[in-house]
């Protein structure tokens, strides 16, 4: 099928595009710059110039496609206001994409985050948060899933806090960036909180499976590592960078601090059983060995 992909040239999107192309699909890729357009063409996709804020371009992309995979999200996490702008932009984009798909029975795969469950790994049956710093994302994704009752085969792939490839990406990547900047490989609190993770190449397979097979209104967990302790993540980063490893104040991580400090393991048992998804690539701690000083 011809698939319209937003965020097609990012760490996750580039692997999704390769996975789709490698399995007989064609890709129309949203490209917000000349560089992104060139990268999409090099990958074998057709670029469509525009950004997530260009709602008419998004509608035009849907009109040319048999299905949609949404992956784009703003990269500015510098303040609560910046994060709120990212969420608002994505919410408007999801509304535009969804409205264009109503009544078509075409697949619409959007992205979400794995939720937190008190005292246990979260599952696909747990709801995403609809309040807090990223509550708006939860409300927007819930609205997308509700489109299943309006003739859209909408589904959500929930990504863990770290989607990694060659030692980069996700929350672990932010820890690495912070360590390089501050000279300390830090972790909030006592570091026993657990973060789930998945290799980008494994996540890409799940996005394809959801596009091809998932029923409307369904939710999936792209979780390979159920939960690595953050202090173990920081230890690998510190060793690879030759930096001390120690606890740092939660507020050091700005608006993401409360999320960084929370224990949030997650399961993908239902996803594996139902869609036959099986991660095959290195886990997070092994992949972080690719970090170079």
């Amino acid at each position: 099928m011809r698939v319209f992909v937003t965020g097609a040239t990012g760490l996750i999107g580039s692997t999704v595009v390769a996975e789709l192309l490698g399995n007989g699909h064609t890709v129309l890729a949203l490209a917000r710059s000349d560089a992104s357009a060139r990268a999409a063409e090099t990958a074998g996709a057709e670029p469509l110039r525009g950004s997530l804020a260009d709602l008419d371009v998004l509608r035009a992309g849907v009109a040319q496609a048999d299905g949609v995979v949404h992956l784009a999200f703003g990269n500015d996490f510098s303040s609560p206001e910046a994060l709120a702008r990212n969420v608002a932009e994505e919410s408007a984009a999801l509304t535009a994409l969804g409205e264009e798909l109503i009544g078509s029975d075409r697949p619409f795969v959007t992205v979400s985050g794995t939720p937190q469950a008190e005292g246990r790994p979260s599952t696909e049956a747990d709801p995403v948060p609809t309040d807090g710093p990223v509550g708006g994302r939860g409300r927007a994704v819930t609205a997308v899933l509700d489109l299943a009752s309006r003739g859209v085969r909408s589904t959500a792939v929930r990504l863990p806090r770290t989607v990694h490839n060659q030692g980069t990406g996700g929350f672990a990547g932010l820890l690495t960036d912070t360590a390089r900047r501050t000279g300390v490989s830090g972790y909030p609190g006592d570091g026993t909180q657990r973060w789930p993770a998945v290799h980008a190449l494994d996540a890409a397979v799940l996005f394809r499976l959801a596009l091809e097979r998932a029923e409307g209104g369904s939710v999936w967990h792209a979780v390979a590592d159920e939960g690595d302790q953050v202090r173990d993540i920081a230890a690998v980063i510190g060793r690879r960078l030759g930096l001390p490893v120690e606890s740092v104040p939660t507020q050091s991580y700005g608006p993401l601090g409360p999320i960084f400090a929370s224990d949030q393991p997650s399961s993908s048992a239902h996803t594996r059983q139902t869609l036959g998804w099986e991660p095959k690539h290195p886990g997070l701690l092994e992949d972080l060995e690719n970090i170079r000083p």
Side-chain angles (χ1 to χ4, degrees):
M1 79 182 67
R2 181 171 169 81
V3 187
F4 179 41
V5 180
T6 72
T9 57
L11 180 141
I12 302 168
S14 58
T15 62
V16 171
V17 168
E19 176 70 19
L20 293 173
L21 294 173
N23 284 272
H25 302 289
T26 59
V27 172
L28 177 66
L30 184 68
R32 62 183 177 181
S33 68
D34 289 341
S36 292
R38 288 192 296 270
E41 287 184 319
T42 299
E46 177 188 343
L48 177 66
R49 282 301 305 271
S51 73
L52 208 56
D54 298 324
L55 302 186
D56 286 341
V57 174
L58 298 183
R59 296 184 185 102
V62 174
Q64 300 175 54
D66 303 308
V68 175
V69 175
H70 166 70
L71 295 164
F73 191 73
N75 292 321
D76 187 355
F77 301 104
S78 61
S79 68
E81 294 76 19
L83 184 59
R85 286 193 296 270
N86 292 341
V87 171
E89 179 182 70
E90 182 189 45
S91 297
L94 286 173
T95 297
L97 292 167
E99 287 176 348
E100 195 69 20
L101 287 163
I102 289 172
S104 68
D105 291 321
R106 285 177 286 172
F108 182 13
V109 184
T110 191
V111 66
S112 181
T114 52
Q116 183 181 3
E118 191 65 34
R120 61 172 175 81
S122 66
T123 73
E124 294 87 345
D126 289 311
V128 292
T130 54
D131 53 13
V134 292
R137 294 198 83 186
R139 295 191 294 273
V141 169
T142 300
V144 168
L145 294 175
D146 288 344
L147 292 173
S149 64
R150 303 180 67 188
V152 182
R153 189 159 61 82
S154 56
T155 185
V157 173
R158 293 175 176 175
L159 294 173
R161 298 303 181 258
T162 293
V163 181
H164 56 91
N165 193 358
Q166 292 297 304
T168 64
F171 278 11
L174 293 177
L175 288 185
T176 303
D177 293 343
T178 302
R180 292 185 191 277
R181 187 177 69 251
T182 64
V184 173
S185 181
Y187 53 85
D190 65 3
T192 60
Q193 66 270 34
R194 294 162 293 174
W195 291 354
V198 68
H199 197 287
L201 293 173
D202 287 319
V205 174
L206 182 54
F207 276 100
R208 175 180 61 79
L209 292 174
L211 179 81
E212 294 173 346
R213 305 181 191 175
E215 296 181 357
S218 58
V219 171
W220 313 99
H221 277 193
V223 174
D225 302 350
E226 189 169 283
D228 296 307
Q229 290 194 345
V230 179
R231 64 186 181 190
D232 292 337
I233 297 170
V236 178
I237 294 170
R239 176 166 50 78
R240 297 300 302 168
L241 297 180
L243 296 174
V245 180
E246 58 189 59
S247 176
V248 298
T250 299
Q251 55 267 32
S252 302
Y253 300 104
L256 293 176
I259 303 174
F260 273 27
S262 64
D263 186 49
Q264 46 194 275
S266 188
S267 165
S268 58
H270 171 73
T271 297
R272 297 181 192 223
Q273 180 179 6
T274 306
L275 290 183
W277 177 67
E278 192 60 45
K280 298 177 181 178
H281 292 88
L284 175 59
L285 297 181
E286 180 183 351
D287 197 27
L288 289 176
E289 296 293 344
N290 288 294
I291 293 173
R292 295 290 179 263

